[in-house]
């Protein structure tokens, strides 16, 4: 069995969810909710949305957890994680949450209008269209990534996901 190249396991860009850097978090959530990927007959939901500038250049990516972080109330997002954990380490009557639920929804709606560029991560690494799967694995692991943009002649043409690379490895092992 011959080793695969990045382009053989990538999802083409036109089939992968992406947004403008000016998109609001609400739009990114909508794109994630309506996107479903079918790779090799296996369906999955995207964990990451690519972010492009107005000239079509890839400028970042946003993960589910980045969106959730961006939707956190200001009093939580501005504090260290240790402080935030302590806030939820108390026993509270669950009925109290119902009293302020409308206030929580109102704040969530406002924060959903934040631009995705506030929470996106910069692109730290890419792979070439013809790179060997071993290089793809190295870059995913070395950079602690679950997705790599695939570049051909300087332009992003798709993405390779760690789940698809693991599937290829499984085909070799099992």
């Amino acid at each position: 069995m011959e080793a695969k190249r990045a382009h053989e396991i990538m999802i083409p860009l036109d089939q992968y969810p992406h947004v403008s850097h000016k998109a609001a978090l609400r739009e990114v959530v909508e794109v994630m909710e309506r996107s479903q990927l079918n790779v090799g007959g296996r369906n999955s939901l995207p964990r990451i949305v690519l972010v492009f500038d107005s000239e079509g250049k890839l400028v970042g990516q946003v993960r589910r957890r980045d969106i959730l972080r961006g939707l956190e109330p200001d009093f939580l997002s501005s504090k260290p994680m240790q402080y935030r954990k302590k806030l939820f380490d108390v026993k509270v009557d669950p009925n109290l949450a119902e009293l302020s639920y409308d206030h929580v929804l109102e704040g969530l709606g406002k924060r959903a209008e934040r631009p995705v560029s506030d929470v996106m991560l910069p692109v730290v690494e890419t792979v070439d269209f013809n790179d060997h799967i071993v290089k793809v694995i190295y870059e995913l692991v070395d950079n602690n990534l679950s997705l790599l943009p695939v570049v051909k002649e300087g332009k992003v043409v798709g993405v390779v996901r760690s789940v698809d690379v693991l599937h290829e490895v499984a085909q070799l092992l099992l």
Side-chain angles (χ1 to χ4, degrees), residues 122-133:
V123 175
V124 294
E125 194 61 55
T126 62
V127 290
D128 185 79
F129 187 77
N130 288 312
D131 277 344
H132 193 276
I133 191 171

Side-chain angles (χ1 to χ4, degrees), residues 26-78:
R26 179 185 309 277
E27 295 171 69
V28 181
V29 170
E30 181 183 346
V31 166
M32 276 192 161
E33 281 292 300
R34 67 178 155 89
S35 298
Q36 185 167 8
L37 303 170
N38 184 313
V39 180
R42 297 174 300 123
N43 290 329
S44 64
L45 299 174
R47 293 181 175 193
I48 296 172
V49 171
L50 300 177
V51 181
F52 287 85
D53 68 12
S54 54
E55 296 172 6
K57 180 183 173 196
L58 179 64
V59 293
Q61 60 184 5
V62 62
R63 304 168 300 179
R64 293 176 188 161
R65 68 187 117 171
D66 301 320
I67 295 169
L68 294 174
R69 183 172 31 87
L71 295 173
E72 283 183 331
D74 289 339
F75 79 90
L76 283 178
S77 62
S78 61

Side-chain angles (χ1 to χ4, degrees), residues 96-123:
L96 288 176
E98 293 296 323
L99 293 175
S100 63
Y101 190 64
D102 289 341
H103 181 71
V104 170
L105 286 180
E106 181 182 323
L108 184 66
K110 287 180 183 173
R111 290 185 295 281
E113 299 309 318
R114 292 177 64 188
V116 66
S117 56
D118 282 0
V119 299
M120 74 179 191
L121 302 173
V123 175

Side-chain angles (χ1 to χ4, degrees), residues 117-158:
S117 56
D118 282 0
V119 299
M120 74 179 191
L121 302 173
V123 175
V124 294
E125 194 61 55
T126 62
V127 290
D128 185 79
F129 187 77
N130 288 312
D131 277 344
H132 193 276
I133 191 171
V134 173
K135 180 171 183 190
V136 173
I137 293 170
Y138 170 78
E139 296 297 348
L140 287 168
V141 172
D142 191 48
N143 294 291
N144 194 25
L145 299 171
S146 57
L147 178 140
L148 278 168
V150 177
V151 176
K152 182 179 181 183
E153 298 171 3
K155 187 175 180 182
V156 176
V157 294

